[in-house]
Every structure is written in structure tokens, then in C-alpha cells.
Amino acid sequence: MAKAKMYQIPDGSKQGKKAPASSGPVRALIASNKKARHDFAIEDVFEAGMVLSGTEVKALRAGRASLVDGYVNIEGNEAWLEGAHISEYAHGTWTNHAPRRKRKLLLHRSEIERLAQGTREKGFTIVPLQMYFLDGRAKVEIALARGKKEYDKRQTLREQQDNREAHRAIRQRELR
């Protein structure tokens, strides 16, 4: 009979059979759209799968994607990611994909209906925020967002700067 391995835990105690469990699903970031959070007020966030070809997945694993010009379009009962750029796979052949093709998003019907209803209101759009791998599957985080006015953007930047200065002052006070 095999003997169970013992693992050392940082507090000095020992645990039998299994190593400490991980904190949850592994999420590897591919691309982020920081400009979207600056230009839009995010109302509702959704996670969607994507229908991809093999060379697209390989290019994503190499980190070759950009969401800067991307947006989501609802056509019928389907959601499509348009304008997102996934570079051609470097070692691909004639079977390589088109970098800016439309990609179908995998969402529940109720989520598509909520997004479609939201975009019917004036000033709302659907923007991609992040693209990542979640347990080996390519996902995109999309948001129903309202466009910000220029003064809203300045106010947000001012608030962020004030918060940064306050945290810096608190840290300086703690070090003394």
C-alpha cells in the first residue's frame, strides 16, 4: 500500500494526501481595453464565449489581440464581435484567418435580449472590455455602456488623482 505524501504548510502544520486547493478557475488575460473604461460609463457586464478557428486560438495564446476598435453588434438573436483585431498566426499557412473578421459570441438568449433592449436606448452601446482564457476557453468580457461627455472624463480623472494622493498621504503617515 502506497504511503500518502505529506505537504508542509507555511504555518508549520502538515496536511495529508492533497496539496492546498487553488483559489478557483485560472484566468489568463490576453487583451484589455483600458480606453473603454475611460470613454464609457459601464452599466452591466457580461462574459461571453467566442466561436474561433484554430489559428485564432493559437494567435490568442501568443497574446496577439487588440480590442481598441471593437464593438458588439446584435443581429437577430445573435451577438457578433466586430472590429476586434486578432493577428494572423505566425506559423499559419493558407488556412490562416482574417484579422478583423466578425466573431460570433456565445451568450444565453436572455442576455442577448437584455443587451438588445439596452442598445435601443439612446447613448448606449456594447463594448468589449477584456479578452482572456478561462480554464482553457477563450472568453470576452463585454459591457453595456453609456458614452461619457468630456467633462465627465475630466471629473473621473480628477477623482482618481485625488484618491491616489489620499492613499499616498495615508501610506506616508503609516511609515512615520
Side-chain angles (χ1 to χ4, degrees):
M1 181 178 241
K3 195 173 184 182
K5 286 188 177 181
M6 301 297 279
Y7 294 95
Q8 191 72 29
I9 297 179
D11 65 0
S13 64
K14 291 186 178 179
Q15 178 179 347
K17 293 192 181 181
K18 293 186 179 177
S22 64
S23 60
V26 178
R27 184 172 168 167
L29 186 66
I30 300 166
S32 180
N33 190 356
K34 293 179 184 177
K35 191 175 180 184
R37 293 197 186 271
H38 174 73
D39 291 342
F40 297 97
I42 307 300
E43 299 292 326
D44 209 358
V45 178
F46 298 89
E47 180 182 70
M50 292 183 290
V51 177
L52 300 172
S53 69
T55 55
E56 285 175 317
V57 175
K58 289 182 177 199
L60 288 178
R61 291 207 186 279
R64 310 281 299 160
S66 174
L67 297 173
V68 176
D69 297 329
Y71 62 96
V72 176
N73 194 11
I74 306 289
E75 295 175 6
N77 289 329
E78 296 178 340
W80 296 87
L81 177 64
E82 298 184 34
H85 187 272
I86 298 176
S87 298
E88 289 185 351
Y89 181 56
H91 303 292
T93 60
W94 56 273
T95 60
N96 243 337
H97 62 278
R100 288 203 183 268
R101 75 174 186 90
K102 287 172 49 172
R103 293 167 180 92
K104 186 175 179 179
L105 297 180
L106 305 173
L107 291 161
H108 291 282
R109 183 171 302 243
S110 60
E111 292 174 331
I112 293 174
E113 289 170 359
R114 277 180 44 197
L115 287 169
Q117 182 181 4
T119 56
R120 285 188 210 113
E121 294 181 35
K122 186 174 180 190
F124 277 96
T125 187
I126 308 169
V127 293
L129 299 177
Q130 291 182 338
M131 193 178 291
Y132 52 89
F133 281 107
L134 184 67
D135 287 337
R137 288 177 162 68
K139 304 283 185 178
V140 63
E141 185 176 77
I142 59 175
L144 184 62
R146 181 188 301 271
K148 285 185 184 178
K149 304 284 187 212
E150 196 62 37
Y151 58 83
D152 289 333
K153 295 177 190 179
R154 285 194 296 267
Q155 182 178 356
T156 303
L157 289 173
R158 195 174 306 119
E159 288 173 1
Q160 288 173 350
Q161 185 176 0
D162 291 344
N163 286 340
R164 213 175 299 122
E165 289 174 3
H167 287 308
R168 193 175 295 134
I170 290 171
R171 233 180 307 130
Q172 289 294 326
R173 191 165 176 92
E174 288 175 353
L175 292 175
R176 291 181 189 173

PDB file of all heavy atoms in Angstrom, residues 11-44:
ATOM      1  N   ASP A  11       2.263  27.555   8.005  1.00  0.00           N
ATOM      2  CA  ASP A  11       2.136  27.740   9.458  1.00  0.00           C
ATOM      3  C   ASP A  11       2.840  26.631  10.247  1.00  0.00           C
ATOM      4  O   ASP A  11       2.831  26.635  11.466  1.00  0.00           O
ATOM      5  CB  ASP A  11       0.665  27.840   9.869  1.00  0.00           C
ATOM      6  CG  ASP A  11      -0.109  26.550   9.625  1.00  0.00           C
ATOM      7  OD1 ASP A  11       0.499  25.568   9.139  1.00  0.00           O
ATOM      8  OD2 ASP A  11      -1.313  26.531   9.922  1.00  0.00           O
ATOM      9  N   GLY A  12       3.449  25.685   9.561  1.00  0.00           N
ATOM     10  CA  GLY A  12       4.221  24.651  10.226  1.00  0.00           C
ATOM     11  C   GLY A  12       3.489  23.331  10.376  1.00  0.00           C
ATOM     12  O   GLY A  12       4.103  22.308  10.636  1.00  0.00           O
ATOM     13  N   SER A  13       2.183  23.327  10.232  1.00  0.00           N
ATOM     14  CA  SER A  13       1.436  22.077  10.370  1.00  0.00           C
ATOM     15  C   SER A  13       1.593  21.242   9.101  1.00  0.00           C
ATOM     16  O   SER A  13       2.107  21.715   8.103  1.00  0.00           O
ATOM     17  CB  SER A  13      -0.051  22.380  10.621  1.00  0.00           C
ATOM     18  OG  SER A  13      -0.602  23.038   9.506  1.00  0.00           O
ATOM     19  N   LYS A  14       1.144  20.001   9.155  1.00  0.00           N
ATOM     20  CA  LYS A  14       1.236  19.125   7.993  1.00  0.00           C
ATOM     21  C   LYS A  14      -0.151  18.710   7.555  1.00  0.00           C
ATOM     22  O   LYS A  14      -1.066  18.586   8.360  1.00  0.00           O
ATOM     23  CB  LYS A  14       2.071  17.886   8.324  1.00  0.00           C
ATOM     24  CG  LYS A  14       3.527  18.200   8.521  1.00  0.00           C
ATOM     25  CD  LYS A  14       4.323  16.954   8.707  1.00  0.00           C
ATOM     26  CE  LYS A  14       5.797  17.316   8.846  1.00  0.00           C
ATOM     27  NZ  LYS A  14       6.627  16.146   9.057  1.00  0.00           N
ATOM     28  N   GLN A  15      -0.294  18.515   6.263  1.00  0.00           N
ATOM     29  CA  GLN A  15      -1.576  18.103   5.705  1.00  0.00           C
ATOM     30  C   GLN A  15      -1.336  16.837   4.900  1.00  0.00           C
ATOM     31  O   GLN A  15      -0.380  16.743   4.150  1.00  0.00           O
ATOM     32  CB  GLN A  15      -2.125  19.214   4.815  1.00  0.00           C
ATOM     33  CG  GLN A  15      -3.423  18.870   4.141  1.00  0.00           C
ATOM     34  CD  GLN A  15      -3.928  20.027   3.291  1.00  0.00           C
ATOM     35  OE1 GLN A  15      -3.452  21.128   3.396  1.00  0.00           O
ATOM     36  NE2 GLN A  15      -4.888  19.743   2.446  1.00  0.00           N
ATOM     37  N   GLY A  16      -2.230  15.863   5.016  1.00  0.00           N
ATOM     38  CA  GLY A  16      -2.065  14.613   4.310  1.00  0.00           C
ATOM     39  C   GLY A  16      -2.811  14.564   2.993  1.00  0.00           C
ATOM     40  O   GLY A  16      -3.745  15.317   2.764  1.00  0.00           O
ATOM     41  N   LYS A  17      -2.362  13.708   2.116  1.00  0.00           N
ATOM     42  CA  LYS A  17      -2.982  13.352   0.849  1.00  0.00           C
ATOM     43  C   LYS A  17      -2.942  14.429  -0.228  1.00  0.00           C
ATOM     44  O   LYS A  17      -2.444  14.183  -1.293  1.00  0.00           O
ATOM     45  CB  LYS A  17      -4.413  12.870   1.045  1.00  0.00           C
ATOM     46  CG  LYS A  17      -4.488  11.553   1.780  1.00  0.00           C
ATOM     47  CD  LYS A  17      -5.845  10.973   1.708  1.00  0.00           C
ATOM     48  CE  LYS A  17      -5.877   9.651   2.481  1.00  0.00           C
ATOM     49  NZ  LYS A  17      -7.148   9.027   2.438  1.00  0.00           N
ATOM     50  N   LYS A  18      -3.491  15.609  -0.037  1.00  0.00           N
ATOM     51  CA  LYS A  18      -3.584  16.579  -1.122  1.00  0.00           C
ATOM     52  C   LYS A  18      -2.895  17.886  -0.771  1.00  0.00           C
ATOM     53  O   LYS A  18      -2.866  18.291   0.385  1.00  0.00           O
ATOM     54  CB  LYS A  18      -5.046  16.876  -1.450  1.00  0.00           C
ATOM     55  CG  LYS A  18      -5.787  15.706  -2.048  1.00  0.00           C
ATOM     56  CD  LYS A  18      -7.167  16.123  -2.468  1.00  0.00           C
ATOM     57  CE  LYS A  18      -7.905  14.950  -3.087  1.00  0.00           C
ATOM     58  NZ  LYS A  18      -9.264  15.300  -3.449  1.00  0.00           N
ATOM     59  N   ALA A  19      -2.387  18.533  -1.806  1.00  0.00           N
ATOM     60  CA  ALA A  19      -1.816  19.863  -1.627  1.00  0.00           C
ATOM     61  C   ALA A  19      -2.969  20.860  -1.470  1.00  0.00           C
ATOM     62  O   ALA A  19      -4.103  20.567  -1.840  1.00  0.00           O
ATOM     63  CB  ALA A  19      -0.963  20.232  -2.841  1.00  0.00           C
ATOM     64  N   PRO A  20      -2.719  22.033  -0.927  1.00  0.00           N
ATOM     65  CA  PRO A  20      -3.785  23.023  -0.780  1.00  0.00           C
ATOM     66  C   PRO A  20      -4.435  23.331  -2.131  1.00  0.00           C
ATOM     67  O   PRO A  20      -3.766  23.451  -3.147  1.00  0.00           O
ATOM     68  CB  PRO A  20      -3.057  24.256  -0.250  1.00  0.00           C
ATOM     69  CG  PRO A  20      -1.796  23.743   0.345  1.00  0.00           C
ATOM     70  CD  PRO A  20      -1.454  22.498  -0.402  1.00  0.00           C
ATOM     71  N   ALA A  21      -5.757  23.417  -2.129  1.00  0.00           N
ATOM     72  CA  ALA A  21      -6.510  23.658  -3.365  1.00  0.00           C
ATOM     73  C   ALA A  21      -6.268  25.072  -3.859  1.00  0.00           C
ATOM     74  O   ALA A  21      -6.020  25.991  -3.080  1.00  0.00           O
ATOM     75  CB  ALA A  21      -7.995  23.439  -3.104  1.00  0.00           C
ATOM     76  N   SER A  22      -6.352  25.247  -5.176  1.00  0.00           N
ATOM     77  CA  SER A  22      -6.192  26.585  -5.744  1.00  0.00           C
ATOM     78  C   SER A  22      -7.434  27.410  -5.432  1.00  0.00           C
ATOM     79  O   SER A  22      -8.475  26.890  -5.051  1.00  0.00           O
ATOM     80  CB  SER A  22      -5.969  26.495  -7.253  1.00  0.00           C
ATOM     81  OG  SER A  22      -7.111  25.955  -7.873  1.00  0.00           O
ATOM     82  N   SER A  23      -7.334  28.715  -5.640  1.00  0.00           N
ATOM     83  CA  SER A  23      -8.409  29.618  -5.257  1.00  0.00           C
ATOM     84  C   SER A  23      -9.575  29.613  -6.242  1.00  0.00           C
ATOM     85  O   SER A  23     -10.556  30.285  -6.019  1.00  0.00           O
ATOM     86  CB  SER A  23      -7.855  31.031  -5.127  1.00  0.00           C
ATOM     87  OG  SER A  23      -7.306  31.436  -6.364  1.00  0.00           O
ATOM     88  N   GLY A  24      -9.478  28.905  -7.352  1.00  0.00           N
ATOM     89  CA  GLY A  24     -10.591  28.855  -8.295  1.00  0.00           C
ATOM     90  C   GLY A  24     -10.101  28.680  -9.715  1.00  0.00           C
ATOM     91  O   GLY A  24      -8.975  28.258  -9.955  1.00  0.00           O
ATOM     92  N   PRO A  25     -10.958  29.033 -10.680  1.00  0.00           N
ATOM     93  CA  PRO A  25     -10.577  28.866 -12.080  1.00  0.00           C
ATOM     94  C   PRO A  25      -9.427  29.786 -12.462  1.00  0.00           C
ATOM     95  O   PRO A  25      -9.314  30.906 -11.969  1.00  0.00           O
ATOM     96  CB  PRO A  25     -11.846  29.219 -12.852  1.00  0.00           C
ATOM     97  CG  PRO A  25     -12.737  29.904 -11.892  1.00  0.00           C
ATOM     98  CD  PRO A  25     -12.298  29.536 -10.520  1.00  0.00           C
ATOM     99  N   VAL A  26      -8.587  29.292 -13.356  1.00  0.00           N
ATOM    100  CA  VAL A  26      -7.420  30.050 -13.798  1.00  0.00           C
ATOM    101  C   VAL A  26      -7.843  30.981 -14.924  1.00  0.00           C
ATOM    102  O   VAL A  26      -8.439  30.556 -15.910  1.00  0.00           O
ATOM    103  CB  VAL A  26      -6.312  29.088 -14.283  1.00  0.00           C
ATOM    104  CG1 VAL A  26      -5.115  29.858 -14.779  1.00  0.00           C
ATOM    105  CG2 VAL A  26      -5.925  28.139 -13.171  1.00  0.00           C
ATOM    106  N   ARG A  27      -7.533  32.273 -14.771  1.00  0.00           N
ATOM    107  CA  ARG A  27      -7.908  33.293 -15.750  1.00  0.00           C
ATOM    108  C   ARG A  27      -6.650  33.969 -16.262  1.00  0.00           C
ATOM    109  O   ARG A  27      -5.973  34.674 -15.521  1.00  0.00           O
ATOM    110  CB  ARG A  27      -8.831  34.302 -15.085  1.00  0.00           C
ATOM    111  CG  ARG A  27      -9.366  35.345 -16.008  1.00  0.00           C
ATOM    112  CD  ARG A  27     -10.409  36.162 -15.299  1.00  0.00           C
ATOM    113  NE  ARG A  27     -10.727  37.327 -16.073  1.00  0.00           N
ATOM    114  CZ  ARG A  27     -11.749  38.108 -15.853  1.00  0.00           C
ATOM    115  NH1 ARG A  27     -12.548  37.847 -14.842  1.00  0.00           N
ATOM    116  NH2 ARG A  27     -11.982  39.143 -16.600  1.00  0.00           N
ATOM    117  N   ALA A  28      -6.323  33.746 -17.551  1.00  0.00           N
ATOM    118  CA  ALA A  28      -5.125  34.312 -18.165  1.00  0.00           C
ATOM    119  C   ALA A  28      -5.534  35.432 -19.127  1.00  0.00           C
ATOM    120  O   ALA A  28      -6.168  35.179 -20.152  1.00  0.00           O
ATOM    121  CB  ALA A  28      -4.357  33.233 -18.910  1.00  0.00           C
ATOM    122  N   LEU A  29      -5.171  36.654 -18.802  1.00  0.00           N
ATOM    123  CA  LEU A  29      -5.550  37.820 -19.593  1.00  0.00           C
ATOM    124  C   LEU A  29      -4.798  37.844 -20.921  1.00  0.00           C
ATOM    125  O   LEU A  29      -3.586  37.640 -20.968  1.00  0.00           O
ATOM    126  CB  LEU A  29      -5.255  39.093 -18.802  1.00  0.00           C
ATOM    127  CG  LEU A  29      -5.720  40.397 -19.429  1.00  0.00           C
ATOM    128  CD1 LEU A  29      -7.239  40.434 -19.488  1.00  0.00           C
ATOM    129  CD2 LEU A  29      -5.202  41.567 -18.617  1.00  0.00           C
ATOM    130  N   ILE A  30      -5.525  38.097 -22.013  1.00  0.00           N
ATOM    131  CA  ILE A  30      -4.932  38.199 -23.341  1.00  0.00           C
ATOM    132  C   ILE A  30      -4.828  39.661 -23.746  1.00  0.00           C
ATOM    133  O   ILE A  30      -3.781  40.146 -24.121  1.00  0.00           O
ATOM    134  CB  ILE A  30      -5.777  37.447 -24.389  1.00  0.00           C
ATOM    135  CG1 ILE A  30      -5.893  35.981 -24.031  1.00  0.00           C
ATOM    136  CG2 ILE A  30      -5.185  37.624 -25.776  1.00  0.00           C
ATOM    137  CD1 ILE A  30      -6.960  35.253 -24.811  1.00  0.00           C
ATOM    138  N   ALA A  31      -5.964  40.369 -23.677  1.00  0.00           N
ATOM    139  CA  ALA A  31      -6.007  41.771 -24.084  1.00  0.00           C
ATOM    140  C   ALA A  31      -7.012  42.514 -23.218  1.00  0.00           C
ATOM    141  O   ALA A  31      -7.992  41.946 -22.756  1.00  0.00           O
ATOM    142  CB  ALA A  31      -6.399  41.885 -25.552  1.00  0.00           C
ATOM    143  N   SER A  32      -6.749  43.801 -23.012  1.00  0.00           N
ATOM    144  CA  SER A  32      -7.623  44.631 -22.213  1.00  0.00           C
ATOM    145  C   SER A  32      -7.896  45.931 -22.965  1.00  0.00           C
ATOM    146  O   SER A  32      -7.020  46.447 -23.656  1.00  0.00           O
ATOM    147  CB  SER A  32      -6.955  44.918 -20.868  1.00  0.00           C
ATOM    148  OG  SER A  32      -7.792  45.724 -20.086  1.00  0.00           O
ATOM    149  N   ASN A  33      -9.095  46.459 -22.821  1.00  0.00           N
ATOM    150  CA  ASN A  33      -9.480  47.697 -23.486  1.00  0.00           C
ATOM    151  C   ASN A  33      -9.613  48.789 -22.426  1.00  0.00           C
ATOM    152  O   ASN A  33     -10.709  49.082 -21.950  1.00  0.00           O
ATOM    153  CB  ASN A  33     -10.800  47.496 -24.242  1.00  0.00           C
ATOM    154  CG  ASN A  33     -11.148  48.648 -25.140  1.00  0.00           C
ATOM    155  OD1 ASN A  33     -10.457  49.657 -25.170  1.00  0.00           O
ATOM    156  ND2 ASN A  33     -12.235  48.503 -25.866  1.00  0.00           N
ATOM    157  N   LYS A  34      -8.494  49.393 -22.034  1.00  0.00           N
ATOM    158  CA  LYS A  34      -8.497  50.410 -20.992  1.00  0.00           C
ATOM    159  C   LYS A  34      -9.226  51.670 -21.438  1.00  0.00           C
ATOM    160  O   LYS A  34      -9.824  52.376 -20.639  1.00  0.00           O
ATOM    161  CB  LYS A  34      -7.066  50.754 -20.596  1.00  0.00           C
ATOM    162  CG  LYS A  34      -6.348  49.617 -19.918  1.00  0.00           C
ATOM    163  CD  LYS A  34      -4.939  49.987 -19.578  1.00  0.00           C
ATOM    164  CE  LYS A  34      -4.210  48.801 -18.988  1.00  0.00           C
ATOM    165  NZ  LYS A  34      -2.814  49.083 -18.714  1.00  0.00           N
ATOM    166  N   LYS A  35      -9.179  51.958 -22.721  1.00  0.00           N
ATOM    167  CA  LYS A  35      -9.820  53.153 -23.254  1.00  0.00           C
ATOM    168  C   LYS A  35     -11.341  53.094 -23.084  1.00  0.00           C
ATOM    169  O   LYS A  35     -11.996  54.117 -22.906  1.00  0.00           O
ATOM    170  CB  LYS A  35      -9.463  53.304 -24.729  1.00  0.00           C
ATOM    171  CG  LYS A  35      -9.856  54.626 -25.319  1.00  0.00           C
ATOM    172  CD  LYS A  35      -9.359  54.761 -26.732  1.00  0.00           C
ATOM    173  CE  LYS A  35      -9.780  56.104 -27.290  1.00  0.00           C
ATOM    174  NZ  LYS A  35      -9.401  56.260 -28.677  1.00  0.00           N
ATOM    175  N   ALA A  36     -11.917  51.891 -23.108  1.00  0.00           N
ATOM    176  CA  ALA A  36     -13.363  51.743 -22.962  1.00  0.00           C
ATOM    177  C   ALA A  36     -13.813  52.217 -21.587  1.00  0.00           C
ATOM    178  O   ALA A  36     -14.843  52.880 -21.461  1.00  0.00           O
ATOM    179  CB  ALA A  36     -13.767  50.290 -23.175  1.00  0.00           C
ATOM    180  N   ARG A  37     -13.060  51.907 -20.554  1.00  0.00           N
ATOM    181  CA  ARG A  37     -13.434  52.344 -19.204  1.00  0.00           C
ATOM    182  C   ARG A  37     -13.289  53.851 -19.049  1.00  0.00           C
ATOM    183  O   ARG A  37     -13.946  54.460 -18.214  1.00  0.00           O
ATOM    184  CB  ARG A  37     -12.610  51.617 -18.156  1.00  0.00           C
ATOM    185  CG  ARG A  37     -12.942  50.136 -18.100  1.00  0.00           C
ATOM    186  CD  ARG A  37     -12.457  49.501 -16.812  1.00  0.00           C
ATOM    187  NE  ARG A  37     -12.659  48.069 -16.824  1.00  0.00           N
ATOM    188  CZ  ARG A  37     -13.764  47.468 -16.398  1.00  0.00           C
ATOM    189  NH1 ARG A  37     -14.758  48.169 -15.952  1.00  0.00           N
ATOM    190  NH2 ARG A  37     -13.862  46.154 -16.432  1.00  0.00           N
ATOM    191  N   HIS A  38     -12.427  54.472 -19.849  1.00  0.00           N
ATOM    192  CA  HIS A  38     -12.258  55.918 -19.820  1.00  0.00           C
ATOM    193  C   HIS A  38     -13.372  56.615 -20.603  1.00  0.00           C
ATOM    194  O   HIS A  38     -13.903  57.634 -20.157  1.00  0.00           O
ATOM    195  CB  HIS A  38     -10.893  56.295 -20.406  1.00  0.00           C
ATOM    196  CG  HIS A  38     -10.680  57.764 -20.540  1.00  0.00           C
ATOM    197  ND1 HIS A  38     -10.459  58.577 -19.449  1.00  0.00           N
ATOM    198  CD2 HIS A  38     -10.665  58.567 -21.623  1.00  0.00           C
ATOM    199  CE1 HIS A  38     -10.322  59.824 -19.866  1.00  0.00           C
ATOM    200  NE2 HIS A  38     -10.437  59.839 -21.180  1.00  0.00           N
ATOM    201  N   ASP A  39     -13.745  56.068 -21.751  1.00  0.00           N
ATOM    202  CA  ASP A  39     -14.705  56.714 -22.647  1.00  0.00           C
ATOM    203  C   ASP A  39     -16.162  56.398 -22.328  1.00  0.00           C
ATOM    204  O   ASP A  39     -17.052  57.094 -22.794  1.00  0.00           O
ATOM    205  CB  ASP A  39     -14.428  56.309 -24.096  1.00  0.00           C
ATOM    206  CG  ASP A  39     -13.128  56.891 -24.617  1.00  0.00           C
ATOM    207  OD1 ASP A  39     -12.620  57.852 -24.012  1.00  0.00           O
ATOM    208  OD2 ASP A  39     -12.624  56.372 -25.635  1.00  0.00           O
ATOM    209  N   PHE A  40     -16.423  55.345 -21.558  1.00  0.00           N
ATOM    210  CA  PHE A  40     -17.792  54.912 -21.307  1.00  0.00           C
ATOM    211  C   PHE A  40     -18.035  54.703 -19.818  1.00  0.00           C
ATOM    212  O   PHE A  40     -17.136  54.324 -19.071  1.00  0.00           O
ATOM    213  CB  PHE A  40     -18.075  53.580 -22.018  1.00  0.00           C
ATOM    214  CG  PHE A  40     -17.974  53.657 -23.512  1.00  0.00           C
ATOM    215  CD1 PHE A  40     -16.812  53.265 -24.168  1.00  0.00           C
ATOM    216  CD2 PHE A  40     -19.031  54.115 -24.271  1.00  0.00           C
ATOM    217  CE1 PHE A  40     -16.717  53.330 -25.543  1.00  0.00           C
ATOM    218  CE2 PHE A  40     -18.945  54.186 -25.642  1.00  0.00           C
ATOM    219  CZ  PHE A  40     -17.786  53.789 -26.285  1.00  0.00           C
ATOM    220  N   ALA A  41     -19.275  54.932 -19.412  1.00  0.00           N
ATOM    221  CA  ALA A  41     -19.728  54.579 -18.063  1.00  0.00           C
ATOM    222  C   ALA A  41     -20.328  53.181 -18.165  1.00  0.00           C
ATOM    223  O   ALA A  41     -21.321  52.970 -18.871  1.00  0.00           O
ATOM    224  CB  ALA A  41     -20.760  55.577 -17.576  1.00  0.00           C
ATOM    225  N   ILE A  42     -19.727  52.227 -17.490  1.00  0.00           N
ATOM    226  CA  ILE A  42     -20.126  50.825 -17.589  1.00  0.00           C
ATOM    227  C   ILE A  42     -21.386  50.590 -16.754  1.00  0.00           C
ATOM    228  O   ILE A  42     -21.412  50.883 -15.558  1.00  0.00           O
ATOM    229  CB  ILE A  42     -18.984  49.898 -17.102  1.00  0.00           C
ATOM    230  CG1 ILE A  42     -17.670  50.209 -17.816  1.00  0.00           C
ATOM    231  CG2 ILE A  42     -19.386  48.440 -17.236  1.00  0.00           C
ATOM    232  CD1 ILE A  42     -17.704  50.063 -19.307  1.00  0.00           C
ATOM    233  N   GLU A  43     -22.425  50.057 -17.385  1.00  0.00           N
ATOM    234  CA  GLU A  43     -23.697  49.797 -16.706  1.00  0.00           C
ATOM    235  C   GLU A  43     -23.831  48.328 -16.293  1.00  0.00           C
ATOM    236  O   GLU A  43     -24.190  48.040 -15.171  1.00  0.00           O
ATOM    237  CB  GLU A  43     -24.875  50.173 -17.616  1.00  0.00           C
ATOM    238  CG  GLU A  43     -24.917  51.628 -18.010  1.00  0.00           C
ATOM    239  CD  GLU A  43     -25.224  52.562 -16.852  1.00  0.00           C
ATOM    240  OE1 GLU A  43     -25.997  52.164 -15.961  1.00  0.00           O
ATOM    241  OE2 GLU A  43     -24.693  53.683 -16.849  1.00  0.00           O
ATOM    242  N   ASP A  44     -23.581  47.411 -17.233  1.00  0.00           N
ATOM    243  CA  ASP A  44     -23.787  45.989 -16.983  1.00  0.00           C
ATOM    244  C   ASP A  44     -22.691  45.196 -17.696  1.00  0.00           C
ATOM    245  O   ASP A  44     -22.341  45.517 -18.827  1.00  0.00           O
ATOM    246  CB  ASP A  44     -25.162  45.576 -17.506  1.00  0.00           C
ATOM    247  CG  ASP A  44     -25.758  44.414 -16.738  1.00  0.00           C
ATOM    248  OD1 ASP A  44     -25.083  43.909 -15.825  1.00  0.00           O
ATOM    249  OD2 ASP A  44     -26.891  44.005 -17.064  1.00  0.00           O
TER     250      ASP A  44
END
